[in-house]
Amino acid sequence: MAAVVNGPDIRRFGDLDALSRAAADDLIELARAAVAERSTCSIALSGGSTPQRLFRLLAQRGRDAVPWDHVELWWGDERPVAPDHADSNYRMAREALIEPLGLAASRVHRITSELADLDAAARAYERDLSAALGSPPVFDLVLLGMGPDGHTASLFPGSPALDETRRWVVANPVTSPLVHGSSTRITLTAPVINAARHVRFLIGGADKAAALAQVLEGPRDPARYPSQLIAPAHGDLAWLVDTAAAANLRGAR
Ligand code: 6PG
């Protein structure tokens, strides 16, 4: 009897708010379980705009909802800007989550992407990550978004980091209209994300519908749709999507 291979774990929600509430419940459950089992929980936060609602909901749930004193916060990627820049993924999380909950700076590990030498910044982050979580670093939870081009973290279509199999963190040169031409972003590589115990995509909005259908139901083409690289070796992967982003998926019609 051939093993029944289930399809991807796709969880549909009416809108981003409902998606974010479910993501908050999921994160709280995973964090509590991780701390109960290993006395610690390491989370890689995603950037962009989608997770902001999730972060605000977690802040509203208060310090008691999650054993925050045992949670280490990291980032999946960062733009080459100062930590107080409007485009900084760290700044967004600091304002929406870290400051409202008063989380200890010692457990907040931002990427120092303001440095001139981004390769050195990536190597420093990689050293810290490996020292804390091993090699490859094993996160309890990696939160991911997806761009309208199918990128995730800062793994953009056609960028060198897509082929990286040895490094855990790299400075990735990116050419895309989504980065206003070209930029270099620091990002986790696919091997680190795929070493995680739990991976969650949070994807909302009609502008993601075409790429999401290609990623989940199109031909395998990770160079063009890097989110297809995400396939945890031992952990579980779930796609939390709103109705607008799921509009082009089979069964959505
Ligand atoms: C970033 C993110 C990136 C993001 C997607 C989706 O630094 O921008 O890490 O991968 O998750 O671009 O961004 P939105 O949530 O803003 O649509």
Side-chain angles (χ1 to χ4, degrees), residues 46-51 77 79 89 145-147 151-154 185 208:
S46 53
S49 58
T50 300
D77 73 324
R79 293 84 178 276
N89 289 335
M146 189 191 75
H151 83 261
T152 189
S154 283
R185 290 192 170 184
K208 313 293 176 71

Side-chain angles (χ1 to χ4, degrees), residues 93-179:
R94 187 194 70 212
E95 293 177 345
L97 180 69
I98 296 164
E99 286 179 348
L101 285 174
L103 301 184
S106 61
R107 285 192 297 281
V108 175
H109 312 277
R110 75 175 184 86
I111 300 172
T112 55
S113 56
E114 70 274 18
L115 299 177
D117 185 342
L118 289 175
D119 186 56
R123 291 181 186 279
Y125 204 67
E126 186 177 61
R127 278 195 302 275
D128 291 349
L129 204 44
S130 289
L133 300 181
S135 209
V138 178
F139 282 100
D140 291 288
L141 172 62
V142 175
L143 295 175
L144 295 172
M146 189 191 75
D149 59 352
H151 83 261
T152 189
S154 283
L155 302 171
F156 279 77
S159 65
L162 301 189
D163 301 321
E164 182 58 57
T165 57
R166 291 178 303 104
R167 297 279 305 280
W168 315 131
V169 185
V170 296
N172 190 29
V174 174
T175 300
S176 167
L178 296 174
V179 300

Side-chain angles (χ1 to χ4, degrees), residues 168-206:
W168 315 131
V169 185
V170 296
N172 190 29
V174 174
T175 300
S176 167
L178 296 174
V179 300
H180 315 300
S182 63
S183 176
T184 298
R185 290 192 170 184
I186 294 179
T187 184
L188 296 185
T189 58
V192 183
I193 298 168
N194 288 333
R197 294 185 178 93
H198 307 283
V199 181
R200 297 291 185 267
F201 273 97
L202 277 58
I203 304 173

